[in-house]
Amino acid sequence: MKIVVAYKWAPNPQDATVGAAGAVDWSRAKPAISEYDPVAVELARELADATGGEVIGLTAGAKGVDATMARKAALSRRFDRAVIVADDSLQGAGSTELAAVLAAAVRHIGDVDLVITGDSSVDVGGKMVPTVLAGQLGWPAVAEVSAVTGGAGSVRVERAIAGGTQVLEISGPAVLAASTDAAVPRLPGMKDILAATKKPVQTLTVAELGVPATGSTVTVKGTSRPDLKARKGQMIDAKDPAAAAAELVAALRGTGAL
Amino acid sequence: MTVNTWIVVAGDPAIGDLIDTARSLGGEVTAAVVGPRPVADTVAAGGVDKVIWFGEPGDAPVEAYATAVADAIAAAPGVVLGSGGPGGRVLLGAAAARLQAPALTGASSVSLDGADVVVKRSVFGGIAEETVAVSGPVVLVLDGGSVPAATGSAPVEEIASVPLGMTVVQTKPSEFEEVDLGAAVRVVGIGRGLKTKKDLALIDGLAGASDAEVACSRPLAEGMDWLGKDRYIGVSGQNISPELYFAIGISGQLQHMVGVRGAKTIVAINSDPNAPVFTEADYGLVGDLYQIVPALTDALK
Ligand SMILES: Cc1cc2nc3c(=O)[nH]c(=O)nc-3n(C[C@H](O)[C@H](O)[C@H](O)COP(=O)(O)OP(=O)(O)OC[C@H]3O[C@@H](n4cnc5c(N)ncnc54)[C@H](O)[C@@H]3O)c2cc1C
Ligand SMILES: Nc1ncnc2c1ncn2[C@@H]1O[C@H](COP(=O)(O)O)[C@@H](O)[C@H]1O
């Protein structure tokens, strides 16, 4: 089985700041493999090992996705090889553009049986790249997948639905977005980090892939800080839990919260 | 200017808010309905101009209609609205791919500026708001709202479609009781500060004493499976606006806190004085939840 895992090299907005004028400052937010993508790698690895197959890491983004650090971080994960679309034209690209590039790369790789993605990316978090990617390929897509079995051309997946889970059978290639708890990712050890440098990597540009033109123009008019409610920020000394509890309850009753 | 809109219905007719948004854009509103006939009929009565229905799904999941929905929309592109459940996202993703249109999440307002669709939306986990103008088709992933009241009777046109090769072979109910956190006046949220599942009894005790529902951070519902998935709060989970929210043993990462921004009062209990949750709390107690929660429960009795 040939399984592609889409992973994103992205910073965590928790570490970014937004200035008074609304500009987002990412300088202190260091990129990493997006939080949930290692789950997708693990899920793919388990399936590939069970069926005898290959796991190919795939990422797309501005040049930074092909930096030494980024390569090392990705290849020390349990991929057999990686395909990296590094192109500065992808700086700030939206989910649809990224998905179009990833779809073109999946076609370029050829004979792919399954694409597995993370649940949501740490920076954008729209959960749309996997589904647009499937749309570009004309393949079935399923999100919140917690388990996959089967082999090339026919898989059985379990996925969460409101109020329970469902088992689906899918024939032909498909895109699966893993739930955050689909597998427990292994942390790379020293051996994995050393092995990373030996794994094959293919670097591509957007021009080499033949990506369809966008159907719409998106113009960013501006960004701003969200208008957040001011919080009291009152600390209650909790050395004596009973006294602190009494003080808190009195305060909450006073404001009508209780 | 007016623009025509599509509403993509992924088996669930709870699309009241989508109809309102579509109506505000002034043009014709067509619903593309995947699911059994009664869903199409509910939508047809709910105030849209036209319904396109893809036939009885049998054992095909919603996602099997992704290509059919995209084809129907591509015949008359416009603004495409839909709600963001897992099935809905697949249908909307297929539409976005077919139209090569942006797929935008987190919108708080949608309006027209000439022929452009102007969208204000929350971005990057909620740290910022962005205003974008889109010329050309656009896909918007929104909250559906509730099931619309029966006010009209739009025609339902059935389109013959071939679903993608996927079938449902088994459905298992969750072991957890379903909950509507949105309706709760007070909510007790618990995070990874809780050591074992059986300690949830402590949290239930506080919830009982304060007449609150129990909620949690994502890891407790996904990963530890201590609570149902409909109980976790945040950017990927529930957004709630209760009178009072207790964040207990929750560090207060951005992705969690955006879900309680609307809470009137936030109380944080955490053993780490530097936990980010304290910067977004009205009242903060630094200490061990295993001491503070029982004391608080007593004080409430
Ligand atoms: C794309 C994306 C989407 C996400 N969406 C969500 C979401 O919707 N909702 C969500 O919740 N998370 C979400 N997350 C995860 C989020 O980033 C955090 O990892 C998560 O919220 C942390 O949960 P926690 O606070 O329970 O655990 P931790 O961060 O581990 O915090 C546990 C806290 O408990 C405290 N503690 C420990 N022992 C005690 C004690 N005895 N008494 C008192 N305090 C104690 C610790 O000091 C610590 O602050 C998302 C992440 C990503 C990347
Ligand atoms: N630029 C990218 N390159 C590779 N994979 C991506 C990229 N963006 C998103 N993905 C994948 O799609 C998932 C969901 O991302 P998102 O739609 O941005 O929330 C991620 O967990 C990744 O697996």
Side-chain angles (χ1 to χ4, degrees):
Chain A
M1 236 183 153
K2 204 166 175 181
I3 307 173
V4 165
V5 173
Y7 72 91
K8 192 173 191 184
W9 182 248
N12 190 335
Q14 170 88 28
D15 306 321
T17 51
V18 183
V24 181
D25 177 5
W26 293 99
S27 59
R28 260 172 301 166
K30 296 282 160 274
I33 304 276
S34 185
E35 180 151 338
Y36 298 125
D37 295 350
V39 176
V41 184
E42 194 65 31
L43 197 65
R45 183 81 264 165
E46 286 167 11
L47 184 63
D49 288 353
T51 57
E54 187 188 18
V55 181
I56 305 161
L58 170 63
T59 193
K63 283 271 168 58
V65 301
D66 192 32
T68 314
M69 273 279 294
R71 273 192 182 211
K72 234 191 230 164
L75 289 164
S76 61
R77 296 283 169 177
R78 304 173 76 204
F79 296 124
D80 297 306
R81 61 182 174 105
V83 173
I84 297 176
V85 186
D87 198 311
D88 280 341
S89 70
L90 295 176
Q91 184 67 49
S95 303
T96 300
E97 288 160 271
L98 288 170
V101 171
L102 294 170
V106 169
R107 282 197 203 97
H108 180 92
I109 292 167
D111 300 321
V112 171
D113 296 300
L114 219 49
V115 176
I116 304 185
T117 76
D119 169 81
S120 45
S121 63
V122 67
D123 56 344
V124 171
K127 305 186 180 186
M128 289 305 292
V129 168
T131 70
V132 183
L133 169 58
Q136 302 279 1
L137 295 166
W139 294 2
V142 184
E144 302 193 7
V145 168
S146 53
V148 197
T149 53
S154 170
V155 289
R156 188 174 260 250
V157 310
E158 184 178 282
R159 57 92 166 253
I161 52 167
T165 56
Q166 235 172 22
V167 179
L168 307 180
E169 256 169 23
I170 308 172
S171 57
V175 178
L176 309 177
S179 67
T180 64
D181 54 358
V184 180
R186 271 198 221 168
L187 282 178
M190 203 56 208
K191 237 173 86 189
D192 304 306
I193 294 165
L194 291 174
T197 54
K198 299 193 188 74
K199 292 182 187 172
V201 180
Q202 183 182 13
T203 313
L204 297 166
T205 61
V206 172
E208 285 169 272
L209 284 171
V211 177
T214 63
S216 303
T217 330
V218 181
T219 315
V220 178
K221 297 283 183 194
T223 55
S224 61
R225 264 190 192 164
D227 193 10
L228 294 186
K229 208 175 161 306
R231 297 289 172 190
K232 286 196 186 74
Q234 187 180 324
M235 299 305 286
I236 296 175
D237 184 353
K239 273 191 200 78
D240 176 350
E247 188 182 335
L248 176 64
V249 169
L252 294 175
R253 289 210 168 113
T255 63
L258 277 172
Chain B
M1 281 295 294
T2 62
V3 300
N4 294 341
T5 48
W6 285 89
I7 296 177
V8 174
V9 181
D12 181 356
I15 55 159
D17 292 354
L18 303 182
I19 295 177
D20 293 346
T21 303
R23 282 285 167 227
S24 75
L25 300 177
E28 185 169 297
V29 180
T30 309
V33 179
V34 174
R37 179 70 193 219
V39 176
D41 291 337
T42 305
V43 172
V48 300
D49 297 314
K50 189 171 150 193
V51 170
I52 290 185
W53 179 56
F54 296 89
E56 285 299 337
D59 59 6
V62 161
E63 290 87 344
Y65 292 88
T67 307
V69 169
D71 286 345
I73 291 173
V79 173
V80 181
L81 311 177
S83 57
R89 293 199 305 272
V90 169
L91 302 181
L92 294 170
R98 182 63 52 87
L99 303 172
Q100 298 298 342
L104 306 178
T105 56
S108 55
S109 81
V110 183
S111 58
L112 290 179
D113 177 9
D116 286 359
V117 180
V118 178
V119 180
K120 187 169 181 190
R121 64 189 203 112
S122 173
V123 291
F124 306 131
I127 57 167
E129 269 172 2
E130 177 186 86
T131 303
V132 294
V134 184
S135 89
V138 57
V139 173
L140 299 171
V141 188
L142 302 165
D143 285 338
S146 49
V147 178
T151 53
S153 61
V156 178
E157 180 191 337
E158 182 172 353
I159 287 194
S161 58
V162 184
L164 295 168
M166 54 201 311
T167 50
V168 177
V169 294
Q170 199 187 354
T171 302
K172 297 181 251 187
S174 160
E175 58 183 292
F176 298 106
E177 188 192 322
E178 277 181 60
V179 63
D180 179 12
L181 288 181
V185 179
R186 283 178 285 275
V187 175
V188 177
I190 180 69
R192 270 201 292 216
L194 200 71
K195 293 190 179 71
T196 67
K197 183 176 179 181
K198 70 172 181 8
D199 297 341
L200 278 174
L202 214 63
I203 302 306
D204 288 337
L206 175 59
S210 56
D211 195 14
E213 283 286 357
V214 173
C216 60
S217 64
R218 191 174 196 178
L220 263 66
E222 283 183 4
M224 297 195 275
D225 291 336
W226 290 353
L227 290 158
K229 283 185 197 260
D230 55 0
R231 284 199 197 256
Y232 83 85
I233 287 168
V235 65
S236 307
Q238 307 292 320
N239 277 301
I240 57 170
S241 309
E243 288 292 311
L244 178 59
Y245 181 66
F246 288 98
I248 304 177
I250 288 177
S251 58
Q253 299 294 305
L254 171 70
Q255 291 90 357
H256 180 81
M257 296 310 285
V258 293
V260 290
R261 274 184 184 166
K264 194 144 175 228
T265 301
I266 297 179
V267 174
I269 300 171
N270 197 300
S271 51
D272 174 6
N274 298 318
V277 69
F278 289 121
T279 65
E280 291 191 60
D282 293 289
Y283 301 99
L285 282 75
V286 178
D288 183 0
L289 74 90
Y290 286 87
Q291 293 185 358
I292 295 174
V293 171
L296 195 52
T297 308
D298 282 345
L300 283 163
K301 278 181 184 155

